[in-house]
C-alpha cells in the first residue's frame, strides 16, 4: 500500500466480517516515525488508526470500537510505544468505532472538536449490547423483514465485545482549527464537520506529508453521511486534495490516492444528481435508493464494487432532510431500528438480484 511497510501483523486469514482480506491487518510504517493501524477490508468497525512518534512520546489518532481490539492494537504497536508512550489521543469524530477505546487513555490528553465531544454519548454501549442480543431474536421473526434486520445487525456487531466499555469524551476540545505540538512535531487539526457526523476533523502532519482523514474518506467502502450536509463532505474532500500529502490514511479501507479522493467526490455528485429528481417528485427514500442501486449508471460505475452499497439509504435520508423533504421515518430508538430494517431490506434485495 503506497510503499508503506508492514512492521507488525495480526496474521488473520479472514476479516472481522469473515471476508478474504484485501491487505494484511496490522501496523504499517508510512514515513519515519509515522504509522497507521490498518484493518481490512474497512467494513463496520474495521477502523484505521494513526500513531505518530514524536521523540519520547507518541500521539494516537482514534481508538477502537471495543477494548479487546484496542488492546490488540497496543500489543502489536509495542515496538513503538514502549520507547515513546502515548501521551496524546485525537478523536476525528464521535462514532464509537473511532473513540470507544478512549477509557484506556483516561490519564492522557484526549482532543476532539467541541461538537464531537457533545455527540459522543448519543449511542451508549448498552444500546449495542441490547442489539447484539436482540438480533438473535429478530432472526426468528420472519414478519415485516424483522429477520433481515436481525441478520444485518447480527453480522455488523458480532465481532465486537461492548461489555466494559465506558464512553469517555475528550478532555480538550476545539472549534475551527487547532495545533498540537509534541517535541517539535506539529499536528494540524482542521474541523470539517458537520459532515459525516456533527464534529469531524482531519489531522495533518505537514513535515511528514501525511494526513489522517477519519471518516470523511472511505476507500473501497461506500461512504455514509449520518449528519450532512453532503456539500461539507465534498468540501472536506477537496481540502484533503489541496494538502498535497504523499500519504492519505482514510477512516476505513486501504491507503488512499488522490484518485480515490476524487472517486468519492464523484460518488457524492452522482448520488445527488440521481436522487434529487426522484425526491422532488415525491418518491420516498427507500424506493429511490433501490432505484439508484439498480440503475445502469450505478452498475457501470466503480462504486458498485465498494463494500456495503446499501449505506446509500442512510445518505439518501440525510439528503432528503438537507433538501427540506420528509423522509417518512419514525423517531427515537424505534425509528433507528426501522431505519436499519429498511437498509437491511435493500441488502437482501441486492443479494437476490445478483444471483
Amino acid at each position: 500500500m503506497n510503499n508503506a511497510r508492514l512492521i507488525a501483523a495480526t496474521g488473520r486469514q479472514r476479516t472481522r466480517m469473515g471476508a478474504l482480506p484485501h491487505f494484511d491487518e496490522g501496523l504499517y510504517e508510512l514515513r519515519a516515525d509515522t504509522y497507521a493501524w490498518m484493518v481490512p477490508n474497512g467494513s463496520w468497525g474495521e477502523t484505521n488508526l494513526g500513531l505518530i512518534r514524536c521523540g519520547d512520546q507518541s500521539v494516537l489518532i482514534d481508538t477502537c470500537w471495543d477494548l479487546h481490539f484496542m488492546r490488540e492494537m497496543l500489543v502489536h504497536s509495542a515496538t513503538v510505544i514502549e520507547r515513546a508512550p502515548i501521551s496524546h489521543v485525537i478523536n476525528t469524530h464521535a462514532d464509537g468505532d473511532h473513540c470507544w477505546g478512549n477509557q484506556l487513555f483516561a490519564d492522557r490528553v484526549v482532543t476532539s472538536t467541541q461538537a464531537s465531544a457533545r455527540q459522543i454519548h448519543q449511542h451508549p454501549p448498552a444500546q449495542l449490547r441490547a442489539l447484539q442480543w436482540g438480533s438473535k431474536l429478530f432472526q426468528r421473526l420472519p414478519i415485516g423483514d424483522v429477520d433481515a434486520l436481525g441478520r444485518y445487525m447480527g453480522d455488523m456487531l458480532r465481532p465486537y465485545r461492548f461489555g466494559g466499555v465506558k464512553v469517555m469524551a475528550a478532555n480538550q476540545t476545539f472549534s475551527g482549527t487547532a495545533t498540537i505540538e509534541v517535541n517539535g512535531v506539529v499536528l494540524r487539526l482542521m474541523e470539517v464537520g458537520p459532515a459525516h457526523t456533527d464534529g469531524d476533523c482531519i489531522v495533518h502532519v505537514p513535515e511528514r506529508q501525511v494526513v489522517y482523514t477519519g471518516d470523511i474518506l472511505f476507500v473501497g467502502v461506500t461512504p455514509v453521511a449520518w449528519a450532512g450536509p453532503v456539500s461539507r463532505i465534498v468540501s472536506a474532500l477537496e481540502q484533503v486534495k489541496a494538502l498535497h500529502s504523499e500519504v492519505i490514511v482514510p477512516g476505513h479501507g486501504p491507503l488512499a490516492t488522490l484518485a480515490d479522493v476524487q472517486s468519492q467526490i464523484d460518488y457524492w455528485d452522482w448520488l445527488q444528481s440521481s436522487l434529487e429528481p426522484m425526491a422532488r417528485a415525491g418518491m420516498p427514500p427507500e424506493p429511490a435508493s433501490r432505484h439508484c442501486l439498480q440503475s445502469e449508471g450505478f452498475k457501470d460505475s466503480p462504486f458498485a464494487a465498494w463494500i456495503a452499497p446499501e449505506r446509500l439509504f442512510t445518505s439518501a435520508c440525510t439528503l432528503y432532510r438537507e433538501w427540506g423533504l420528509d423522509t417518512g421515518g419514525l423517531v427515537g430508538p424505534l425509528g433507528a431500528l426501522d431505519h436499519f430494517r429498511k437498509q437491511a431490506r435493500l441488502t437482501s434485495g441486492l443479494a437476490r438480484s445478483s444471483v
Side-chain angles (χ1 to χ4, degrees):
M1 289 192 295
N2 292 31
N3 298 317
R5 183 170 67 94
L6 180 64
I7 61 174
T10 64
R12 286 195 179 92
Q13 299 302 304
R14 292 278 177 172
T15 71
R16 296 174 190 173
M17 298 296 149
L20 290 172
H22 297 159
F23 54 91
D24 291 323
E25 179 179 8
L27 188 69
Y28 288 78
E29 185 177 44
L30 312 175
R31 290 286 184 272
D33 293 330
T34 311
Y35 308 88
W37 179 256
M38 306 293 295
V39 183
N41 287 328
S43 189
W44 301 101
E46 295 175 344
T47 305
N48 300 329
L49 312 181
L51 185 64
I52 303 162
R53 184 178 177 184
C54 310
D56 61 355
Q57 300 177 55
S58 291
V59 178
L60 176 67
I61 300 174
D62 284 333
T63 60
C64 297
W65 210 358
D66 69 14
L67 304 182
H68 165 72
F69 283 116
M70 188 68 250
R71 290 187 175 111
E72 180 181 67
M73 181 269 181
L74 295 175
V75 167
H76 283 86
S77 303
T79 56
V80 177
I81 60 180
E82 285 179 357
R83 293 175 293 167
I86 294 168
S87 59
H88 293 71
V89 176
I90 299 168
N91 295 145
T92 60
H93 61 290
D95 282 350
D97 60 325
H98 291 258
C99 60
W100 278 11
N102 282 3
Q103 72 187 81
L104 299 183
F105 309 96
D107 59 341
R108 325 293 164 83
V109 177
V110 181
T111 302
S112 78
T113 64
Q114 290 179 11
S116 180
R118 288 193 298 267
Q119 188 185 18
I120 198 170
H121 295 285
Q122 185 172 336
H123 298 291
Q127 191 177 79
L128 294 192
R129 290 200 302 272
L131 277 174
Q132 284 179 316
W133 178 86
S135 66
K136 299 174 184 178
L137 175 63
F138 295 160
Q139 291 180 55
R140 301 173 185 171
L141 299 174
I143 303 169
D145 296 305
V146 173
D147 54 338
L149 170 65
R151 290 190 297 273
Y152 189 71
M153 298 304 295
D155 290 345
M156 179 195 303
L157 301 176
R158 187 173 297 112
Y160 305 102
R161 310 172 189 178
F162 300 116
V165 174
K166 298 177 182 177
V167 177
M168 189 191 91
N171 51 39
Q172 176 174 287
T173 62
F174 74 97
S175 293
T177 60
T179 298
I180 295 176
E181 184 172 344
V182 181
N183 289 330
V185 180
V186 174
L187 288 77
R188 295 175 56 221
L189 281 60
M190 294 168 277
E191 183 173 21
V192 293
H196 169 70
T197 64
D198 290 348
D200 306 285
C201 78
I202 59 178
V203 182
H204 182 213
V205 192
E207 70 178 57
R208 300 185 184 178
Q209 285 290 290
V210 177
V211 59
Y212 300 86
T213 70
D215 283 2
I216 287 299
L217 176 63
F218 296 72
V219 176
V221 184
T222 304
V224 60
W226 299 112
V230 167
S231 59
R232 285 186 63 90
I233 299 178
V234 173
S235 176
L237 291 167
E238 294 288 2
Q239 283 183 252
V240 171
K241 287 174 60 180
L243 292 172
H244 300 292
S245 291
E246 294 178 4
V247 182
I248 304 169
V249 183
H252 297 259
L255 295 176
T257 64
L258 287 176
D260 293 318
V261 181
Q262 183 59 52
S263 185
Q264 194 138 124
I265 292 171
D266 294 342
Y267 173 85
W268 291 119
D269 289 345
W270 165 80
L271 179 58
Q272 291 178 89
S273 62
S274 300
L275 189 67
E276 189 167 12
M278 292 181 284
R280 298 291 185 193
M283 186 181 292
E286 185 183 0
S289 298
R290 184 179 298 107
H291 188 277
C292 285
L293 291 170
Q294 293 176 344
S295 69
E296 292 303 317
F298 176 78
K299 292 177 181 178
D300 292 339
S301 74
F303 324 137
W306 292 353
I307 293 169
E310 77 283 352
R311 290 180 181 179
L312 182 151
F313 173 67
T314 291
S315 298
C317 291
T318 298
L319 282 165
Y320 271 56
R321 291 191 295 270
E322 185 177 333
W323 295 328
L325 302 174
D326 183 17
T327 65
L330 304 174
V331 297
L334 285 178
L337 282 176
D338 186 57
H339 178 94
F340 279 104
R341 181 183 65 89
K342 293 174 181 176
Q343 194 155 292
R345 191 155 56 193
L346 280 177
T347 303
S348 299
L350 288 170
R352 286 193 298 270
S353 66
S354 65
V355 173

